[in-house]
Amino acid sequence: MKLLVYGAGALGSLFAARLHDAGHDVSLLARGARLAELRAHGLRLVEEDRHDVRSAPVRVVDRPEDGYELIIVLVRAHQVRAALESLTHVDGDVLVLANWAAGPEPLSAVIGRDRLLLGFPTAGGRLVDGVLRHRADSWITRLVTVPISEPDGRVTPRLERTLRLFREIGMDAKAEPQVDAWLTTHAAVEVPLGQAVDAAGGPAALAGDRAAVRELVHTMRRNLAATAVPVIPSVIGVLHRLPTAVVAAVVRRFLLSRIAERGLTPSPAATAEMAALAEQLRGRAR
């Protein structure tokens, strides 16, 4: 397949490398300093806690071309609309794998409902000195599914093709008929978490403030109660059913984990994304 990965951050770089390794004709769209870095040194990646950095000879571009069968958009929530606007005259279906809580309608209005697919990238990684450090594959990572769907939840031939593509590169992609509810639920939990980590100066600092963690749990519950969509996946409903002390203890343990240390580092981009998602949630509140 001829593919474009739009966005060369950690996840875009990871997806592009895996698609290339699977034999696909994939290009990676980058901008600014990341574009210069990739042109100078190529796409370099390594599993976390290892030192055997390898290069993936992925073609790097600074603007989209034509003739793509699928364009995978992997950018921050506040960058999604601009990315789609740049693709209105470019051929190919568009899969938005991103934080998004405003529903499919604003995206369909830009790119067209007949081209749009929605999902979320459940893989993990980070860029360190230009090198992508990503999670190693394990039985645990293989249990985490990548939700992908048509905007209206139908199962279509193009959705099935996309799911097969992701499974081919080792990602357990599944059709999620309520993808809007899934994305909104995720944002309802992630926004207060990200903002609390930002205010505390990092996940470990937040874990040390028990009052702040309890307030975080209360804010997550208020967000979930305010959303006008079902809580998907239903396991998130335990935030309401379990005692606050139990949920807070689980959250503190997560905040002290390696995953939180590597994935929740405060940054201007993360702050901007949380602000955009918070605004989207306010627009969807009942």
Side-chain angles (χ1 to χ4, degrees), residues 72-226:
I72 304 171
V73 176
L74 285 147
V75 297
R76 300 274 189 176
H78 58 289
Q79 301 167 327
V80 169
R81 192 185 301 269
L84 295 193
E85 288 172 350
S86 73
L87 297 171
T88 55
H89 300 296
V90 180
D91 294 336
D93 292 324
V94 178
L95 168 60
V96 176
L97 286 182
N99 274 314
W100 187 259
E105 292 78 12
L107 306 182
S108 297
V110 176
I111 203 69
R113 194 177 186 86
D114 59 330
R115 296 182 64 192
L116 180 66
L117 292 165
L118 290 170
F120 187 81
T122 53
R126 57 189 179 132
L127 292 173
V128 180
D129 296 328
V131 177
L132 167 63
R133 295 191 171 275
H134 62 92
R135 297 177 196 160
D137 286 334
S138 68
W139 68 271
I140 296 177
T141 61
R142 286 189 287 273
L143 288 176
V144 180
T145 61
V146 179
I148 301 176
S149 179
E150 293 278 355
D152 59 7
R154 291 177 302 127
V155 176
T156 61
R158 69 170 183 166
L159 174 59
E160 292 177 332
R161 285 195 303 272
T162 304
L163 294 173
R164 287 195 298 270
L165 174 68
F166 277 74
R167 292 166 186 160
E168 180 185 339
I169 62 173
M171 296 184 178
D172 185 15
K174 291 187 177 180
E176 174 47 71
Q178 299 188 78
V179 69
D180 177 35
W182 195 105
L183 290 168
T184 303
T185 299
H186 183 269
V189 173
E190 185 181 18
V191 167
L193 175 61
Q195 292 181 331
V197 167
D198 198 13
L206 176 59
D209 187 340
R210 291 176 178 267
V213 173
R214 287 195 299 272
E215 180 57 31
L216 166 60
V217 172
H218 292 316
T219 305
M220 289 177 174
R221 287 171 169 169
R222 287 193 295 269
N223 278 3
L224 291 171

